[in-house]
Amino acid sequence: TTRISWPAMSQPLVAAGSLVWNGEVVKFETQIDDTAGIASGNSSNIKLTVEANPVTASLSGLASIAADLAIDGELTMNSPSLRALTRWIGSEMPPGPGFGALKLDTHVTVGGHKISLSKSKLTLDGNKAEGAVTIRNDKETGYIQATLALADLNLNPYLAGSGTNPETGSGNAGSSGQGETWSTDPYDFSPLRFIDADLRISANKIIAGELDLGSGALTANLQQGRLATELVEIQAYQGHISGTVVINARGSIPSMTAKLNVSEANLGPLLEHVAGFNKLKGIGNLGVDLAASGASQLEIFQSLSGLVDLQVTNGRIIGVDVANILKSYQEKRLDSLLLGAGGETAFDFLESAFAIEKGVARNDNLVVQAPTFRVTGNGVADIVGRTLDYRLEAALIGPADNTDATPS
């Protein structure tokens, strides 16, 4: 039903009513100040409000329909679920986490196949941002360009949930049921082909699980299934993280690369939060240059190749007292060797580099240096097979010790 009030050609036209569209009742009210002008190709001030379960919105500004629809005005919009909203208007998003509640206050211009949002205040999944957004739909795949600034960027809504298996990353898969094997369940890369995007995002604080991240910026360029992300000097663990991550799902076999640098960071909590490893403490640098391909966890680790480089200064190894073990061995106090277990080993620096080829990491240059001892190591870690073949050699080097002790 619709009610129309139009006293005269020179008066505003006001219409209000309701209709059913795509299964939802839509209540609307609109006012066109210059109906004759709109009809003859000129512009007119308009007001429009829409209320439905998927969205409520209000628009006021200038509009014309001379060639294509053109709008220049102020827009306010609220939706309990962006996913449900896009589904309602006929564009189903790929399954995945995030993209819930949306709130938008912006200046909007519409012309041709482009929608521009400027001076925008946007809240999505609890993240509050300000900036500009451009949306185009003149190609088979849509395109979004955005520059946004946030106080806090919370990535947690996009890291788990909504049908994604936290173990495999697959939207429809479970774990293999064996904790000692890598999953063969395929990852779903279809979201990378849903839309093209060019995003520039900065934040005063970044929240991602337990990670301790401060201010930083990132760019994300998504084109035809290839996502290139650059991390720009993100503050983390009293240091900085920078680098690039690329996921390419254009071909039949997805590929990915990661080139990351962690500088002057507190590596103890970083390694614990990222890898669950809590046996190494200290300030250090970590370099990662890796490449892989495959559609599953197993295929990715089977193809994993590259370099990992680690340097740590003024650190500690938790769970063993190397100096005490070496001293007991040198003095032939074999009954005291176990006293070193459960303690800590302080060192001046640790250096190591791993060369990885097809899931097998090789290292031949581990050095742990302390005032009273030196440890070197080399060996092989089979990432796919979860096996380790590694040899350590240690020696006391303190000025009061004239004889090396080299248990291994």
Side-chain angles (χ1 to χ4, degrees):
T1 60
T2 303
R3 301 183 307 275
I4 299 176
S5 173
W6 193 13
M9 288 289 293
S10 60
Q11 296 295 313
L13 182 152
V14 177
S18 63
L19 55 86
V20 176
W21 188 69
N22 283 352
E24 294 286 351
V25 176
V26 182
K27 297 179 181 179
F28 66 90
E29 183 174 346
T30 184
Q31 176 177 314
I32 303 174
D33 288 356
D34 187 359
T35 308
I38 283 273
S40 61
N42 296 321
S43 61
S44 170
N45 286 313
I46 67 164
K47 293 181 181 179
L48 172 67
T49 61
V50 173
E51 182 178 347
N53 286 329
V55 65
T56 59
S58 64
L59 171 68
S60 63
L62 288 173
S64 69
I65 53 174
D68 297 312
L69 174 65
I71 297 173
D72 186 349
E74 305 300 320
L75 171 67
T76 298
M77 184 171 68
N78 289 275
S79 173
S81 171
L82 179 58
R83 286 187 177 276
L85 175 59
T86 58
R87 184 183 307 117
W88 182 54
I89 63 178
S91 182
E92 183 78 27
M93 285 184 174
F99 303 116
L102 168 69
K103 181 179 180 180
L104 175 65
D105 290 291
T106 186
H107 182 88
V108 59
T109 58
V110 177
H113 297 279
K114 184 171 75 171
I115 301 173
S116 298
L117 310 178
S118 59
K119 301 178 181 178
S120 301
K121 292 185 178 180
L122 166 72
T123 302
L124 179 62
D125 292 321
N127 287 304
K128 297 181 179 180
E130 296 184 4
V133 180
T134 299
I135 304 169
R136 300 187 65 95
N137 62 350
D138 53 348
K139 297 181 180 180
E140 182 177 348
T141 301
Y143 174 77
I144 295 178
Q145 183 181 45
T147 300
L148 300 171
L150 301 89
D152 296 335
L153 172 59
N154 185 358
L155 297 176
N156 289 334
Y158 314 108
L159 299 180
S162 297
T164 299
N165 188 303
E167 296 296 328
T168 66
S170 173
N172 57 0
S175 67
S176 63
Q178 300 179 4
E180 296 182 355
T181 60
W182 300 109
S183 173
T184 58
D185 297 325
Y187 288 107
D188 182 11
F189 291 93
S190 62
L192 298 182
R193 296 183 287 271
F194 176 70
I195 198 167
D196 290 345
D198 187 3
L199 309 178
R200 301 175 186 275
I201 300 173
S202 61
N204 293 329
K205 182 176 178 60
I206 301 173
I207 303 168
E210 295 183 339
L211 296 180
D212 179 17
L213 305 176
S215 64
L218 64 87
T219 65
N221 182 267
L222 178 58
Q223 296 288 333
Q224 299 177 349
R226 181 183 183 274
L227 173 63
T229 303
E230 181 180 4
L231 309 179
V232 184
E233 287 297 320
I234 294 177
Q235 294 183 1
Y237 298 90
Q238 304 169 30
H240 295 87
I241 299 177
S242 60
T244 59
V245 177
V246 177
I247 302 175
N248 190 345
R250 290 175 178 172
S252 59
I253 301 177
S255 64
M256 54 280 309
T257 62
K259 296 182 179 181
L260 301 172
N261 290 294
V262 181
S263 58
E264 298 298 321
N266 187 354
L267 292 181
L270 173 61
L271 293 174
E272 184 172 1
H273 291 160
V274 172
F277 182 74
N278 61 359
K279 302 300 183 182
L280 180 64
K281 313 291 184 183
I283 304 299
N285 303 321
L286 176 65
V288 175
D289 187 353
L290 298 174
S293 61
S296 69
Q297 194 179 60
L298 177 60
E299 291 177 357
I300 289 171
F301 281 113
Q302 284 177 331
S303 66
L304 184 65
S305 299
L307 297 172
V308 177
D309 190 32
L310 175 67
Q311 302 96 32
V312 186
T313 58
N314 299 322
R316 291 175 294 137
I317 299 173
I318 309 300
V320 62
D321 186 342
V322 173
N324 193 24
I325 292 176
L326 290 175
K327 190 172 183 180
S328 298
Y329 182 85
Q330 185 186 48
E331 295 176 356
K332 296 181 172 53
R333 293 185 291 110
L334 301 184
D335 59 335
S336 301
L337 282 174
L338 294 179
L339 294 177
E344 294 185 358
T345 298
F347 58 84
D348 292 334
F349 70 86
L350 178 154
E351 292 182 338
S352 184
F354 288 85
I356 305 173
E357 184 175 0
K358 295 182 178 180
V360 177
R362 301 181 185 277
N363 165 259
D364 60 5
N365 65 348
L366 171 67
V367 175
V368 182
Q369 186 75 49
T372 59
F373 69 87
R374 177 182 175 88
V375 177
T376 59
N378 62 84
V380 176
D382 186 342
I383 300 173
V384 177
R386 299 177 186 264
T387 62
L388 177 66
D389 182 8
Y390 206 83
R391 177 181 175 83
L392 294 172
E393 295 186 359
L396 287 168
I397 59 173
D401 300 299
N402 298 319
T403 305
D404 285 348
T406 58
S408 61

